PDB file of all heavy atoms in Angstrom:
ATOM      1  N   ASN A 428     107.461 116.692 113.059  1.00 90.00           N
ATOM      2  CA  ASN A 428     108.468 117.731 113.206  1.00 90.00           C
ATOM      3  C   ASN A 428     109.830 117.121 113.351  1.00 90.00           C
ATOM      4  O   ASN A 428     110.847 117.678 112.814  1.00 90.00           O
ATOM      5  CB  ASN A 428     108.077 118.580 114.477  1.00 90.00           C
ATOM      6  CG  ASN A 428     106.919 119.548 114.151  1.00 90.00           C
ATOM      7  OD1 ASN A 428     106.744 120.056 113.055  1.00 90.00           O
ATOM      8  ND2 ASN A 428     106.017 119.701 115.141  1.00 90.00           N
ATOM      9  N   THR A 429     109.953 116.089 114.124  1.00 92.00           N
ATOM     10  CA  THR A 429     111.252 115.372 114.333  1.00 92.00           C
ATOM     11  C   THR A 429     111.760 114.842 112.974  1.00 92.00           C
ATOM     12  O   THR A 429     112.984 115.014 112.707  1.00 92.00           O
ATOM     13  CB  THR A 429     111.049 114.252 115.347  1.00 92.00           C
ATOM     14  OG1 THR A 429     110.640 114.729 116.568  1.00 92.00           O
ATOM     15  CG2 THR A 429     112.412 113.546 115.540  1.00 92.00           C
ATOM     16  N   ARG A 430     110.912 114.283 112.232  1.00 95.00           N
ATOM     17  CA  ARG A 430     111.360 113.731 110.849  1.00 95.00           C
ATOM     18  C   ARG A 430     111.803 114.872 109.990  1.00 95.00           C
ATOM     19  O   ARG A 430     112.867 114.717 109.254  1.00 95.00           O
ATOM     20  CB  ARG A 430     110.274 112.911 110.196  1.00 95.00           C
ATOM     21  CG  ARG A 430     109.770 111.713 111.081  1.00 95.00           C
ATOM     22  CD  ARG A 430     108.726 110.965 110.298  1.00 95.00           C
ATOM     23  NE  ARG A 430     108.054 109.992 111.158  1.00 95.00           N
ATOM     24  CZ  ARG A 430     107.307 108.945 110.711  1.00 95.00           C
ATOM     25  NH1 ARG A 430     107.163 108.782 109.451  1.00 95.00           N
ATOM     26  NH2 ARG A 430     106.741 108.132 111.566  1.00 95.00           N
ATOM     27  N   LEU A 431     111.061 115.889 109.938  1.00 96.00           N
ATOM     28  CA  LEU A 431     111.387 116.999 109.067  1.00 96.00           C
ATOM     29  C   LEU A 431     112.723 117.667 109.489  1.00 96.00           C
ATOM     30  O   LEU A 431     113.534 118.112 108.638  1.00 96.00           O
ATOM     31  CB  LEU A 431     110.273 118.067 109.058  1.00 96.00           C
ATOM     32  CG  LEU A 431     108.956 117.579 108.314  1.00 96.00           C
ATOM     33  CD1 LEU A 431     107.879 118.600 108.453  1.00 96.00           C
ATOM     34  CD2 LEU A 431     109.226 117.322 106.854  1.00 96.00           C
ATOM     35  N   ALA A 432     112.920 117.756 110.839  1.00 96.00           N
ATOM     36  CA  ALA A 432     114.187 118.288 111.371  1.00 96.00           C
ATOM     37  C   ALA A 432     115.441 117.485 110.928  1.00 96.00           C
ATOM     38  O   ALA A 432     116.459 117.997 110.548  1.00 96.00           O
ATOM     39  CB  ALA A 432     114.146 118.431 112.801  1.00 96.00           C
ATOM     40  N   LYS A 433     115.226 116.148 110.933  1.00 97.00           N
ATOM     41  CA  LYS A 433     116.293 115.230 110.502  1.00 97.00           C
ATOM     42  C   LYS A 433     116.571 115.465 109.026  1.00 97.00           C
ATOM     43  O   LYS A 433     117.726 115.381 108.541  1.00 97.00           O
ATOM     44  CB  LYS A 433     115.903 113.820 110.880  1.00 97.00           C
ATOM     45  CG  LYS A 433     115.882 113.476 112.280  1.00 97.00           C
ATOM     46  CD  LYS A 433     115.459 112.014 112.514  1.00 97.00           C
ATOM     47  CE  LYS A 433     115.498 111.641 114.026  1.00 97.00           C
ATOM     48  NZ  LYS A 433     114.993 110.190 114.251  1.00 97.00           N
ATOM     49  N   LEU A 434     115.558 115.600 108.256  1.00 97.00           N
ATOM     50  CA  LEU A 434     115.695 115.911 106.822  1.00 97.00           C
ATOM     51  C   LEU A 434     116.413 117.209 106.584  1.00 97.00           C
ATOM     52  O   LEU A 434     117.457 117.207 105.829  1.00 97.00           O
ATOM     53  CB  LEU A 434     114.329 115.939 106.160  1.00 97.00           C
ATOM     54  CG  LEU A 434     114.301 116.426 104.686  1.00 97.00           C
ATOM     55  CD1 LEU A 434     114.947 115.390 103.739  1.00 97.00           C
ATOM     56  CD2 LEU A 434     112.878 116.703 104.194  1.00 97.00           C
ATOM     57  N   ASP A 435     116.004 118.182 107.290  1.00 96.00           N
ATOM     58  CA  ASP A 435     116.592 119.574 106.997  1.00 96.00           C
ATOM     59  C   ASP A 435     118.050 119.576 107.526  1.00 96.00           C
ATOM     60  O   ASP A 435     118.867 120.429 107.075  1.00 96.00           O
ATOM     61  CB  ASP A 435     115.764 120.609 107.765  1.00 96.00           C
ATOM     62  CG  ASP A 435     114.392 120.777 107.148  1.00 96.00           C
ATOM     63  OD1 ASP A 435     114.223 120.369 105.958  1.00 96.00           O
ATOM     64  OD2 ASP A 435     113.464 121.244 107.882  1.00 96.00           O
ATOM     65  N   ALA A 436     118.376 118.762 108.514  1.00 97.00           N
ATOM     66  CA  ALA A 436     119.762 118.624 109.026  1.00 97.00           C
ATOM     67  C   ALA A 436     120.715 117.836 108.126  1.00 97.00           C
ATOM     68  O   ALA A 436     121.925 117.822 108.378  1.00 97.00           O
ATOM     69  CB  ALA A 436     119.704 118.108 110.436  1.00 97.00           C
ATOM     70  N   GLY A 437     120.110 117.240 107.056  1.00 96.00           N
ATOM     71  CA  GLY A 437     120.879 116.559 106.098  1.00 96.00           C
ATOM     72  C   GLY A 437     121.104 115.030 106.389  1.00 96.00           C
ATOM     73  O   GLY A 437     121.822 114.314 105.715  1.00 96.00           O
ATOM     74  N   GLU A 438     120.338 114.479 107.421  1.00 97.00           N
ATOM     75  CA  GLU A 438     120.403 113.076 107.641  1.00 97.00           C
ATOM     76  C   GLU A 438     119.734 112.198 106.598  1.00 97.00           C
ATOM     77  O   GLU A 438     120.114 111.072 106.356  1.00 97.00           O
ATOM     78  CB  GLU A 438     119.737 112.717 109.028  1.00 97.00           C
ATOM     79  CG  GLU A 438     120.493 113.347 110.221  1.00 97.00           C
ATOM     80  CD  GLU A 438     119.870 112.900 111.515  1.00 97.00           C
ATOM     81  OE1 GLU A 438     119.355 111.682 111.662  1.00 97.00           O
ATOM     82  OE2 GLU A 438     119.651 113.720 112.476  1.00 97.00           O
ATOM     83  N   TYR A 439     118.902 112.924 105.841  1.00 98.00           N
ATOM     84  CA  TYR A 439     118.225 112.224 104.707  1.00 98.00           C
ATOM     85  C   TYR A 439     118.154 113.223 103.570  1.00 98.00           C
ATOM     86  O   TYR A 439     118.284 114.428 103.771  1.00 98.00           O
ATOM     87  CB  TYR A 439     116.762 111.923 105.096  1.00 98.00           C
ATOM     88  CG  TYR A 439     116.599 110.924 106.221  1.00 98.00           C
ATOM     89  CD1 TYR A 439     116.608 111.423 107.605  1.00 98.00           C
ATOM     90  CD2 TYR A 439     116.489 109.577 106.136  1.00 98.00           C
ATOM     91  CE1 TYR A 439     116.555 110.612 108.674  1.00 98.00           C
ATOM     92  CE2 TYR A 439     116.353 108.730 107.168  1.00 98.00           C
ATOM     93  CZ  TYR A 439     116.365 109.291 108.462  1.00 98.00           C
ATOM     94  OH  TYR A 439     116.347 108.366 109.510  1.00 98.00           O
ATOM     95  N   ASP A 440     118.064 112.679 102.361  1.00 98.00           N
ATOM     96  CA  ASP A 440     117.928 113.529 101.159  1.00 98.00           C
ATOM     97  C   ASP A 440     116.492 113.762 100.827  1.00 98.00           C
ATOM     98  O   ASP A 440     116.123 114.793 100.255  1.00 98.00           O
ATOM     99  CB  ASP A 440     118.641 112.929  99.991  1.00 98.00           C
ATOM    100  CG  ASP A 440     120.127 112.745 100.226  1.00 98.00           C
ATOM    101  OD1 ASP A 440     120.737 113.777 100.608  1.00 98.00           O
ATOM    102  OD2 ASP A 440     120.696 111.718  99.901  1.00 98.00           O
ATOM    103  N   ALA A 441     115.621 112.779 101.271  1.00 98.00           N
ATOM    104  CA  ALA A 441     114.143 113.003 101.013  1.00 98.00           C
ATOM    105  C   ALA A 441     113.432 112.085 102.044  1.00 98.00           C
ATOM    106  O   ALA A 441     114.019 111.186 102.665  1.00 98.00           O
ATOM    107  CB  ALA A 441     113.849 112.590  99.600  1.00 98.00           C
ATOM    108  N   LEU A 442     112.169 112.399 102.289  1.00 98.00           N
ATOM    109  CA  LEU A 442     111.278 111.611 102.999  1.00 98.00           C
ATOM    110  C   LEU A 442     110.017 111.334 102.222  1.00 98.00           C
ATOM    111  O   LEU A 442     109.596 112.125 101.370  1.00 98.00           O
ATOM    112  CB  LEU A 442     110.836 112.370 104.316  1.00 98.00           C
ATOM    113  CG  LEU A 442     111.904 112.795 105.320  1.00 98.00           C
ATOM    114  CD1 LEU A 442     111.336 113.562 106.440  1.00 98.00           C
ATOM    115  CD2 LEU A 442     112.656 111.651 105.842  1.00 98.00           C
ATOM    116  N   ILE A 443     109.425 110.135 102.580  1.00 98.00           N
ATOM    117  CA  ILE A 443     108.118 109.824 102.013  1.00 98.00           C
ATOM    118  C   ILE A 443     107.167 109.814 103.148  1.00 98.00           C
ATOM    119  O   ILE A 443     107.241 109.068 104.179  1.00 98.00           O
ATOM    120  CB  ILE A 443     108.014 108.436 101.354  1.00 98.00           C
ATOM    121  CG1 ILE A 443     109.168 108.376 100.330  1.00 98.00           C
ATOM    122  CG2 ILE A 443     106.734 108.215 100.666  1.00 98.00           C
ATOM    123  CD1 ILE A 443     109.084 109.230  99.144  1.00 98.00           C
ATOM    124  N   LEU A 444     106.134 110.753 103.094  1.00 96.00           N
ATOM    125  CA  LEU A 444     105.137 110.974 104.201  1.00 96.00           C
ATOM    126  C   LEU A 444     103.792 110.936 103.677  1.00 96.00           C
ATOM    127  O   LEU A 444     103.553 111.057 102.409  1.00 96.00           O
ATOM    128  CB  LEU A 444     105.433 112.263 104.906  1.00 96.00           C
ATOM    129  CG  LEU A 444     106.860 112.451 105.542  1.00 96.00           C
ATOM    130  CD1 LEU A 444     107.067 113.933 105.971  1.00 96.00           C
ATOM    131  CD2 LEU A 444     106.990 111.625 106.776  1.00 96.00           C
ATOM    132  N   ALA A 445     102.799 110.846 104.492  1.00 96.00           N
ATOM    133  CA  ALA A 445     101.370 110.961 104.021  1.00 96.00           C
ATOM    134  C   ALA A 445     101.019 112.424 103.760  1.00 96.00           C
ATOM    135  O   ALA A 445     101.257 113.281 104.539  1.00 96.00           O
ATOM    136  CB  ALA A 445     100.474 110.391 105.120  1.00 96.00           C
ATOM    137  N   ALA A 446     100.549 112.692 102.622  1.00 97.00           N
ATOM    138  CA  ALA A 446     100.174 114.018 102.241  1.00 97.00           C
ATOM    139  C   ALA A 446      99.113 114.589 103.115  1.00 97.00           C
ATOM    140  O   ALA A 446      99.136 115.810 103.544  1.00 97.00           O
ATOM    141  CB  ALA A 446      99.577 114.049 100.752  1.00 97.00           C
ATOM    142  N   ALA A 447      98.176 113.709 103.725  1.00 96.00           N
ATOM    143  CA  ALA A 447      97.102 114.175 104.510  1.00 96.00           C
ATOM    144  C   ALA A 447      97.653 114.741 105.815  1.00 96.00           C
ATOM    145  O   ALA A 447      97.135 115.767 106.336  1.00 96.00           O
ATOM    146  CB  ALA A 447      96.127 113.009 104.783  1.00 96.00           C
ATOM    147  N   GLY A 448      98.614 114.087 106.438  1.00 95.00           N
ATOM    148  CA  GLY A 448      99.203 114.526 107.734  1.00 95.00           C
ATOM    149  C   GLY A 448      99.854 115.859 107.581  1.00 95.00           C
ATOM    150  O   GLY A 448      99.641 116.769 108.404  1.00 95.00           O
ATOM    151  N   LEU A 449     100.549 116.112 106.493  1.00 96.00           N
ATOM    152  CA  LEU A 449     101.195 117.373 106.283  1.00 96.00           C
ATOM    153  C   LEU A 449     100.176 118.449 106.085  1.00 96.00           C
ATOM    154  O   LEU A 449     100.291 119.583 106.656  1.00 96.00           O
ATOM    155  CB  LEU A 449     102.122 117.322 105.041  1.00 96.00           C
ATOM    156  CG  LEU A 449     103.315 116.534 105.212  1.00 96.00           C
ATOM    157  CD1 LEU A 449     104.015 116.113 103.872  1.00 96.00           C
ATOM    158  CD2 LEU A 449     104.366 117.203 106.090  1.00 96.00           C
ATOM    159  N   GLN A 450      99.159 118.140 105.287  1.00 96.00           N
ATOM    160  CA  GLN A 450      98.026 119.202 105.112  1.00 96.00           C
ATOM    161  C   GLN A 450      97.319 119.502 106.404  1.00 96.00           C
ATOM    162  O   GLN A 450      97.163 120.646 106.659  1.00 96.00           O
ATOM    163  CB  GLN A 450      97.061 118.581 104.130  1.00 96.00           C
ATOM    164  CG  GLN A 450      97.492 118.462 102.670  1.00 96.00           C
ATOM    165  CD  GLN A 450      97.765 119.751 101.983  1.00 96.00           C
ATOM    166  OE1 GLN A 450      97.387 120.830 102.505  1.00 96.00           O
ATOM    167  NE2 GLN A 450      98.343 119.708 100.782  1.00 96.00           N
ATOM    168  N   ARG A 451      97.100 118.558 107.246  1.00 96.00           N
ATOM    169  CA  ARG A 451      96.266 118.825 108.450  1.00 96.00           C
ATOM    170  C   ARG A 451      97.075 119.652 109.485  1.00 96.00           C
ATOM    171  O   ARG A 451      96.556 120.312 110.313  1.00 96.00           O
ATOM    172  CB  ARG A 451      95.865 117.520 109.125  1.00 96.00           C
ATOM    173  CG  ARG A 451      94.673 116.701 108.439  1.00 96.00           C
ATOM    174  CD  ARG A 451      94.102 115.616 109.183  1.00 96.00           C
ATOM    175  NE  ARG A 451      92.990 115.019 108.500  1.00 96.00           N
ATOM    176  CZ  ARG A 451      92.950 113.815 108.042  1.00 96.00           C
ATOM    177  NH1 ARG A 451      94.006 112.967 108.226  1.00 96.00           N
ATOM    178  NH2 ARG A 451      91.838 113.384 107.519  1.00 96.00           N
ATOM    179  N   LEU A 452      98.472 119.499 109.421  1.00 95.00           N
ATOM    180  CA  LEU A 452      99.259 120.220 110.323  1.00 95.00           C
ATOM    181  C   LEU A 452      99.717 121.596 109.711  1.00 95.00           C
ATOM    182  O   LEU A 452     100.580 122.250 110.272  1.00 95.00           O
ATOM    183  CB  LEU A 452     100.509 119.411 110.684  1.00 95.00           C
ATOM    184  CG  LEU A 452     100.297 118.212 111.588  1.00 95.00           C
ATOM    185  CD1 LEU A 452     101.529 117.428 111.796  1.00 95.00           C
ATOM    186  CD2 LEU A 452      99.725 118.749 112.904  1.00 95.00           C
ATOM    187  N   GLY A 453      99.107 122.019 108.638  1.00 95.00           N
ATOM    188  CA  GLY A 453      99.372 123.246 108.000  1.00 95.00           C
ATOM    189  C   GLY A 453     100.820 123.280 107.355  1.00 95.00           C
ATOM    190  O   GLY A 453     101.451 124.276 107.184  1.00 95.00           O
ATOM    191  N   MET A 454     101.302 122.065 106.946  1.00 96.00           N
ATOM    192  CA  MET A 454     102.617 121.935 106.357  1.00 96.00           C
ATOM    193  C   MET A 454     102.478 121.539 104.873  1.00 96.00           C
ATOM    194  O   MET A 454     103.449 120.954 104.326  1.00 96.00           O
ATOM    195  CB  MET A 454     103.458 120.962 107.103  1.00 96.00           C
ATOM    196  CG  MET A 454     103.726 121.318 108.555  1.00 96.00           C
ATOM    197  SD  MET A 454     104.780 120.059 109.354  1.00 96.00           S
ATOM    198  CE  MET A 454     104.771 120.712 111.069  1.00 96.00           C
ATOM    199  N   GLY A 455     101.410 121.825 104.267  1.00 96.00           N
ATOM    200  CA  GLY A 455     101.213 121.507 102.879  1.00 96.00           C
ATOM    201  C   GLY A 455     102.270 121.964 101.964  1.00 96.00           C
ATOM    202  O   GLY A 455     102.554 121.381 100.900  1.00 96.00           O
TER     203      GLY A 455
END
Side-chain angles (χ1 to χ4, degrees):
N428 287 322
T429 299
R430 297 184 195 195
L431 292 172
K433 290 178 178 179
L434 171 70
D435 295 338
E438 293 183 40
Y439 301 85
D440 296 316
L442 299 177
I443 307 295
L444 301 167
L449 290 163
Q450 292 287 353
R451 286 192 176 116
L452 287 176
M454 299 180 185

